[in-house]
Amino acid sequence: MAASCVITSPEEEEKHTPKPDLVTQLVFNPSMLNLQATIPNQFIWPDDEKPCVEAPELDVPLIDLQNLLSGSHSILDASRLISEACNKHGFFLVVNHGISEQLISDAHEYMIQRKAGESCGYASSFTGRFSTKLPWKETLSFQFYYFCDALGHEFEPFGKVYQDYCEAMSSLSLKIMELLGITLGVSGNYFKSFFEENDSIMRLNYYPPCQKPDLTLGTGPHCDPTSLTILHQDHVHGLQVFIDNQWRSISPNPKAFVVNIGDTFMALSNNRYKSCLHRAVVNSKSERKSLAFFLCPKKDRVVKPPRELLDRNAPRRYPDFTWSMLLEFTQKHYRADMNTLQAFTDWLTKKPIQ
């Protein structure tokens, strides 16, 4: 079933959303900004959040889905590797995933300019929403029919590429959910059925070169509030994960997808699997592009862990909620970080957010 792709930007939300009418909007034009000696203050991040000079490589397991699903590779071995990663930092790679290389290439290629006043399309940073700690990036978010209805039928082939990509990502995410169910000792169909119908998010990220990459970030530190992220990087480094009090990098692999656990699945697993703080850095020489698919349940689906993950030693960690409730929280009240679920729990129970 096709994923429903909608626009949002959960990782860029401030805890208190600025009022746009009180903010002098900055036009993010990297071609012009790179002619200046430095970058505008709005893009300069605090010292404790600025990118580090060098981030050592994070050791993430490589899961071969073709061998695994054909039975020539031990499911138990793969389950062990996934479980170890998800208990520690929530990141792993999948290869031989069955997604066409041409489809991935096309999805990287097609980006278009958003019409003024429209909510779908290509957007420059988040200059219309925030006044500080702006990300050095541009994004493309969309719905399939947007290309046909808003821009004309000449854009329908581009829309078809992204619709096909979303459908492929939705199918791949269900296969991964089967594996996650096995690793948690839950029926392989439990999480697959939970996400069979989903309200997932598709986003393309474009990170232009920056003359002062040591002062800014392409995407700020955040945990994904969603359930599962499937990311495809181009050939340029930029993804970093915070683990053991250190930023570590995940190198691009054009034949692999980077998979990571989000907060919603952290709640579904009753806190057994972790969502992890990560960010994107930029550089002064090369542009960088990435494709991000965020698996989300249907907005009215109640998120609660299966009984197999509850016992006397592992009581419920979070109250029942729906994805629409968590989405509203991260859109309007809280900037996603490593404490989102606890802050969300406090918000649900009317406790003050720290």
Side-chain angles (χ1 to χ4, degrees):
M1 181 172 181
S4 172
C5 301
V6 297
I7 181 169
T8 189
S9 51
E11 81 283 15
E12 299 298 346
E13 299 300 334
E14 299 285 358
K15 290 184 180 180
H16 302 286
T17 303
K19 296 178 175 60
D21 57 331
L22 299 181
V23 176
T24 301
Q25 185 169 336
L26 173 72
V27 176
F28 180 57
N29 184 335
S31 297
M32 296 297 296
L33 292 178
N34 274 315
L35 297 177
Q36 302 176 14
T38 189
I39 60 176
N41 288 334
Q42 295 94 324
F43 291 95
I44 297 177
W45 286 64
D47 289 342
D48 61 344
E49 294 185 85
K50 286 188 175 75
C52 45
V53 176
E54 186 175 333
E57 187 73 13
L58 177 65
D59 184 22
V60 289
L62 191 68
I63 307 301
D64 188 331
L65 291 183
Q66 185 179 47
N67 288 339
L68 183 64
L69 297 176
S70 67
S72 60
H73 184 73
S74 170
I75 292 180
L76 290 178
D77 285 347
S79 298
R80 176 182 56 80
L81 291 172
I82 293 173
S83 180
E84 289 175 357
C86 290
N87 274 289
K88 189 173 185 181
H89 50 64
F91 279 79
F92 57 94
L93 304 180
V94 295
V95 294
N96 290 325
H97 37 68
I99 310 301
S100 160
E101 290 185 9
Q102 186 62 54
L103 179 59
I104 295 172
S105 176
D106 288 346
H108 272 287
E109 184 69 23
Y110 296 132
M111 293 187 181
I112 64 173
Q113 182 64 38
R114 173 158 69 185
K115 275 188 173 182
E118 296 286 348
S119 62
C120 297
Y122 198 49
S124 63
S125 190
F126 293 96
T127 56
R129 302 168 62 191
F130 308 118
S131 59
T132 61
K133 297 202 298 186
L134 294 177
W136 194 268
K137 72 173 179 180
E138 301 173 281
T139 62
L140 175 67
S141 302
F142 57 87
Q143 293 172 318
F144 170 55
Y145 292 109
Y146 167 76
F147 291 89
C148 304
D149 296 342
L151 297 181
H153 288 283
E154 66 269 27
F155 287 96
E156 188 170 355
F158 304 144
K160 183 66 163 58
V161 165
Y162 292 124
Q163 185 66 36
D164 289 347
Y165 189 86
C166 283
E167 291 175 356
M169 290 297 100
S170 185
S171 296
L172 177 58
S173 65
L174 295 182
K175 293 177 183 177
I176 294 171
M177 280 297 160
E178 287 188 79
L179 289 175
L180 292 176
I182 294 172
T183 66
L184 287 166
V186 178
S187 164
N189 288 326
Y190 183 88
F191 293 124
K192 179 181 178 181
S193 298
F194 189 89
F195 290 99
E196 198 85 51
E197 294 184 352
N198 55 77
D199 285 324
S200 295
I201 298 164
M202 179 70 205
R203 184 182 309 129
L204 279 69
N205 297 306
Y206 173 70
Y207 302 94
C210 177
Q211 72 272 39
K212 295 289 184 180
D214 57 323
L215 298 181
T216 191
L217 290 168
T219 301
H222 68 282
C223 295
D224 296 332
T226 49
S227 299
L228 191 77
T229 302
I230 304 178
L231 181 80
H232 191 271
Q233 305 185 82
D234 65 5
H235 63 285
V236 180
H237 284 71
L239 176 62
Q240 295 183 351
V241 180
F242 193 71
I243 183 72
D244 295 331
N245 293 315
Q246 184 181 32
W247 286 104
R248 311 286 289 272
S249 63
I250 297 181
S251 295
N253 181 339
K255 295 187 179 299
F257 286 103
V258 181
V259 180
N260 69 274
I261 300 298
D263 286 337
T264 300
F265 193 82
M266 186 171 164
L268 271 175
S269 71
N270 201 36
N271 211 50
R272 294 198 185 185
Y273 284 177
K274 310 301 182 185
S275 60
C276 191
L277 200 67
H278 55 285
R279 68 184 185 183
V281 299
V282 294
N283 67 85
S284 61
K285 297 180 180 179
S286 302
E287 66 180 16
R288 177 175 177 263
K289 290 189 286 187
S290 67
L291 309 169
F293 179 84
F294 302 99
L295 179 69
C296 312
K298 291 289 287 184
K299 288 186 178 179
D300 59 352
R301 191 77 189 262
V302 177
V303 176
K304 59 182 179 180
R307 293 179 180 176
E308 293 93 325
L309 301 182
L310 303 175
D311 57 41
R312 183 177 299 177
N313 296 321
R316 284 287 300 273
R317 290 293 303 269
Y318 310 104
D320 289 358
F321 64 89
T322 62
W323 166 237
S324 63
M325 295 164 65
L326 180 55
L327 180 62
E328 177 191 354
F329 179 68
T330 57
Q331 288 279 342
K332 298 180 180 179
H333 304 286
Y334 192 86
R335 183 172 187 162
D337 59 18
M338 63 178 64
N339 300 311
T340 299
L341 277 179
Q342 186 56 56
F344 177 57
T345 299
D346 293 343
W347 182 69
L348 288 176
T349 55
K350 308 302 182 184
K351 295 180 181 178
I353 299 173
Q354 301 299 319

